[in-house]
Amino acid sequence: MAEQANIQPPGDGKPAPGEIGMQLANSPIAEEIHFFHNDVLLPIITLISLFVLALLIYVVWRFNEKANPVASRTTHHTLLEVAWTIIPVMILVVIAIPSFRLLTHQLVNPQPDVTVKVTANQWYWSYAYPKDQGGGFSFDSLLKPEDQIDPAKGDIWLLSVDNEAVVPVGKNVLIEVTASDVIHSFTVPAFGVRIDAVPGRLNTAWFRAERVGVYYGQCSKICGKDHAFMPIAVRVVSEKDYADWLAQAQKKFASVPAAGQFAEASPVRN
Ligand SMILES: [Cu+2]
C-alpha cells in the first residue's frame, strides 16, 4: 500500500486546536448530521434564546418597582396559554421531521460492499475482515506508545494505533460491533458513527467515506481505567490500495488465530 502524504486539513479526521465546531464530515450521514445541527437546530436555538432574552429585558424595564408600582393581579390569559402550548409543539414537529429522517438513514444499512467486524476489549479494539470479501483474518489495534510516536509520519499521541483498520473510499462499509467484556462505544466523528459495543449483542452501523485519509475516533462509553487509551484509527484508501492491503494483511496477520465465528460476513439486518 502506497504511503499517503498527510494532506488532510486541520479538523479533518481529528480535532484541531481551537476548534469549536465539528470535525469535517466524511460520509453522507455526517453531512446530514451537520446540516441538521447547523441549519435546523442552531437557527431555532438562536431565535428562541434571543426571544427569551428580549422578554426578560422588557420585563425588567417595564415592570420594575419604579416603572410599575401597582402590580396587576391577572393570573390567567386563555389566548396566551393556548399560544405558548401550541407554538412549542409546532416547533418540535418541525424538528422531528428531519430528525426522524436522519435516524432512518443512519439505522437502515444499505447493501454493504465491505463488512468489518469490530470487537471492543478492555482496552483495545479488534477488527475482523470476512473471508468471502478477501479477508479471513483478524487483528488487534492498540494505542501506539508515546515513545513510538513519530509526528513526521502523521502520528498523534493518544489517537494513533499500532494496526489501523483499513477501508476503501466510496464504498458502503457495514460495521458489526460487539464487545468481549464490558460496554464500549465505537465512535468516529467524521463518519457520523457512534454505536455501542455490548457483550453478547451485535450492533450494526454503516458509513461511506468520501475522501482518503486517516480518521480517528475514541471509545465513547466509560469502560474502565484505560477508557481514554483505546483510540480508533480508520485509514480510508483507494480501491487498489485496499486490495494491496488485504493481500499484505492476510500474510501479516496469518499467525493471529482468526476468530472463527467472525470469519464470514453476517447477513445484513435492518
Ligand atoms: Cu471502551
Side-chain angles (χ1 to χ4, degrees):
M1 183 171 58
E3 266 307 312
Q4 269 153 3
N6 194 355
I7 47 162
Q8 288 170 259
D12 187 25
K14 54 192 173 295
E19 178 179 61
I20 56 167
M22 289 184 275
Q23 291 180 28
L24 296 180
N26 189 16
S27 82
I29 294 297
E31 272 160 23
E32 209 176 324
I33 291 171
H34 289 197
F35 168 80
F36 184 49
H37 177 265
N38 296 336
D39 299 325
V40 179
L41 293 183
L42 267 188
I44 293 175
I45 292 167
T46 308
L47 285 177
I48 292 177
S49 301
L50 290 177
F51 176 67
V52 173
L53 179 67
L55 283 182
L56 284 172
I57 291 172
Y58 178 74
V59 166
V60 167
W61 166 75
R62 176 68 186 77
F63 296 107
N64 66 61
E65 204 180 357
K66 261 189 230 143
N68 189 47
V70 185
S72 156
R73 302 192 66 85
T74 307
T75 55
H76 290 286
H77 190 296
T78 308
L79 188 66
L80 197 58
E81 283 163 29
V82 170
W84 75 39
T85 306
I86 298 293
I87 292 170
V89 166
M90 277 164 33
I91 293 171
L92 289 179
V93 170
V94 166
I95 292 172
I97 293 165
S99 172
F100 286 126
R101 193 173 55 208
L102 170 58
L103 268 181
T104 309
H105 292 167
Q106 273 186 309
L107 297 179
V108 178
N109 300 320
Q111 186 62 35
D113 301 307
V114 172
T115 306
V116 183
K117 167 101 183 194
V118 181
T119 307
N121 314 281
Q122 281 176 318
W123 289 274
Y124 60 96
W125 298 91
S126 306
Y127 299 99
Y129 286 71
K131 207 172 193 147
D132 53 355
Q133 293 176 357
F137 56 85
S138 65
F139 58 89
D140 295 336
S141 178
L142 280 82
L143 176 79
K144 203 178 247 193
E146 195 168 10
D147 54 11
Q148 290 173 25
I149 291 290
D150 181 359
K153 281 190 193 155
D155 284 351
I156 305 167
W157 166 230
L158 294 179
L159 286 180
S160 290
V161 299
D162 56 354
N163 296 310
E164 292 158 343
V166 178
V167 298
V169 70
K171 298 282 180 189
N172 291 335
V173 179
L174 176 74
I175 50 169
E176 302 185 322
V177 183
T178 190
S180 66
D181 36 46
V182 301
I183 300 177
H184 303 259
S185 182
F186 183 87
T187 304
V188 181
F191 298 155
V193 166
R194 183 194 190 100
I195 182 93
D196 278 4
V198 183
R201 198 190 147 99
L202 197 69
N203 285 337
T204 59
W206 74 282
F207 62 87
R208 186 171 68 242
E210 287 151 344
R211 300 185 299 278
V212 297
V214 187
Y215 292 85
Y216 295 101
Q218 288 170 307
C219 178
S220 300
K221 194 133 286 185
I222 299 283
C223 60
K225 85 171 172 57
D226 284 351
H227 163 66
F229 304 100
M230 52 180 293
I232 296 153
V234 180
R235 185 175 286 269
V236 182
V237 298
S238 70
E239 211 170 328
K240 179 178 177 307
D241 285 348
Y242 182 66
D244 292 349
W245 176 80
L246 277 181
Q248 276 179 25
Q250 270 170 349
K251 288 188 205 116
K252 182 176 175 188
F253 300 119
S255 57
V256 180
Q261 68 270 38
F262 306 151
E264 299 292 328
S266 309
V268 191
R269 279 164 305 274
N270 287 331

